[in-house]
């Protein structure tokens, strides 16, 4: 039964990469402590890992990485939102999965992993044989649209509460992809606000779904305590009316917790 190892240093990461046989599938889960979906994904991955025996040579290796603490590793694999799964074999990325869809994560792992000595999913399909490891309707093609929407809204409900202040933006605080997002990040920094963020460009499901969930068609969106405040213009207006608008969420020293 495989287990998940937490990588806490860049040197440990390099040692892990260097120690694996070329055939081993390395399952890497990038997470952040403030993101509620990451806790759910950790449970999903722990359960999946337990289904894969420890073999010789090693068929799978499972690790998790705090995306903020090891930002150099995160940048190497273009991690712009969490949870984020990277599948690596022989130091090459073979697939990534952004978001907290357990179905997508399971399918990706089963496609590339060897389990009980058999090649899963994609290889079986390529050979014209029956695919046995992936669940039916894996891609959600025949799923109930209402059920899918319900699950998405549940995910969004958790996501907007992932931190007391959550910024849904285009890009990241260190690399905003639009002027409005850049200005809003600047306002949060000026007011020493501790906040979490989500790059909506990295997850189209969230990007489109949040518009309906929030009944707010544009980005960036700022949420406080699970409630939508609004976009850049609303935040400017709030600060103009009350210079202490962010006081309850500010930290001493002016540190930007999300950047």
């Amino acid at each position: 039964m495989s287990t998940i190892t937490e990588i806490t240093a860049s040197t440990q990461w390099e040692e892990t990469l260097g120690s694996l046989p070329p055939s081993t599938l390395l399952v890497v889960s990038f997470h952040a402590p403030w993101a509620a979906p990451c806790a759910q994904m950790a449970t999903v991955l722990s359960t999946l890992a337990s289904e894969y025996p420890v073999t010789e040579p090693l068929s799978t290796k499972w690790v998790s990485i705090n995306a903020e603490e090891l930002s150099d590793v995160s940048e190497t694999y273009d991690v712009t939102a969490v949870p984020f799964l990277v599948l690596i074999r022989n130091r090459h990325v073979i697939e990534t999965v952004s978001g907290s869809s357990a179905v997508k994560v399971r399918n990706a792992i089963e496609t590339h992993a060897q389990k009980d000595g058999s090649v899963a999913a994609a290889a079986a399909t390529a050979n014209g044989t029956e695919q046995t490891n992936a669940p039916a309707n894996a891609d959600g093609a025949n799923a109930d649209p209402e059920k899918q929407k319900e699950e998405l809204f549940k995910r969004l409900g958790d996501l907007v509460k992932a931190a007391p202040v959550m910024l849904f933006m285009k890009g990241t605080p260190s690399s905003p992809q639009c002027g409005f997002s850049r200005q809003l990040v600047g306002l949060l920094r000026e007011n020493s606000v501790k906040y979490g963020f989500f790059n909506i460009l990295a997850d189209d499901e969230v990007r489109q779904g949040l518009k309906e969930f929030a009944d707010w068609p544009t980005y960036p969106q700022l949420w406080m305590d699970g409630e939508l405040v609004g976009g850049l213009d609303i935040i400017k207006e709030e600060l103009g009316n009350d210079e202490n608008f962010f006081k309850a969420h500010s930290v001493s020293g002016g540190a930007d917790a999300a950047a």
Side-chain angles (χ1 to χ4, degrees), residues 167-204:
L167 174 61
F168 293 84
M169 63 180 293
K170 294 181 179 180
T172 66
S174 59
S175 183
Q177 297 300 305
C178 81
F180 295 128
S181 292
R182 182 178 295 107
Q183 290 184 59
L184 191 42
V185 165
L187 288 176
L188 293 171
R189 286 175 171 162
E190 289 171 12
N191 288 273
S192 304
V193 178
K194 182 178 181 179
Y195 66 98
F197 73 91
F198 191 99
N199 177 7
I200 52 97
L201 298 180
D203 192 322
D204 196 58

Side-chain angles (χ1 to χ4, degrees), residues 27-29 41 44-46 48 52 62 83-87 95-112 138:
V27 182
V28 189
S29 172
M41 184 53 59
V44 170
L45 289 172
S46 180
L48 287 174
Y52 288 80
W62 305 67
F84 191 82
L85 187 80
V86 181
L87 301 182
E95 188 168 348
T96 62
V97 180
S98 179
S100 58
S101 170
V103 171
K104 290 180 181 178
V105 165
R106 174 182 283 275
N107 288 343
I109 293 171
E110 290 187 343
T111 294
H112 300 287

Side-chain angles (χ1 to χ4, degrees), residues 17 81 86 134 191 206 211 226 245:
L17 285 177
V86 181
N191 288 273
V206 170
K211 294 178 182 179
F245 177 68

